[in-house]
Amino acid sequence: MASEEALQRFYTVLAAVPAGKVITYGQLAAQAGNPKGGRWAGYLLRHLPANSNLPWHRVVNAQGKVSFPEGSEAALRQIALLEDEGIEFSNSNRINLKRFGAV
DNA sequence: CGCTTGACTAACC
DNA sequence: CGGTTAGCCAAGC
């Protein structure tokens, strides 16, 4: 089914994101075959298998920011992982997608 | 089958 | 730049 193929592409693309780079939900969904599946990407990431080695932390929204409320443990964890990979954050926890964008 | 919800995005004001 | 509206996708009830 196309859905399963899209899902496979989604995981493939996500796994293909190099360390030190980030990708937006929209781009991720677009490369997975759903140019308008931004929400779909978010849904999948949210229901991601716990024992997967997928770099979910390299996925940020179009604003170059974490899609979690600032201060939340999930957001802090993601930011910490990204910084550990060399990603730099601006004064507002924003990432320069022009520099760190995987696309 | 139809409405609501959600880790989204772009356009508009 | 912040708040609102509309569009899209898939899952849950």
Side-chain angles (χ1 to χ4, degrees):
Chain A
M1 296 296 280
S3 309
E4 298 179 8
E5 285 188 12
L7 191 63
Q8 279 296 301
R9 287 193 291 268
F10 181 88
Y11 287 110
T12 302
V13 173
L14 178 56
V17 178
K21 299 261 181 168
V22 295
I23 188 170
T24 67
Y25 295 89
Q27 290 171 8
L28 185 54
Q31 293 193 23
N34 289 313
K36 307 293 166 62
R39 285 187 125 137
W40 175 67
Y43 182 86
L44 292 179
L45 287 171
R46 182 185 169 195
H47 285 271
L48 214 53
N51 44 10
S52 66
N53 60 345
L54 297 172
W56 60 271
H57 53 270
R58 289 181 199 150
V59 185
V60 297
N61 58 26
Q63 300 176 41
K65 294 174 68 174
V66 179
S67 292
F68 295 110
E70 294 185 30
S72 65
E73 296 184 23
L76 294 175
R77 181 162 56 247
Q78 180 171 8
I79 292 170
L81 287 166
L82 291 173
E83 286 185 326
D84 189 51
E85 293 185 347
I87 306 285
E88 296 176 10
F89 287 79
S90 67
N91 47 22
S92 295
N93 289 332
R94 284 196 308 228
I95 302 173
N96 186 338
L97 296 177
K98 288 291 188 179
R99 257 185 43 158
F100 300 105
V103 183

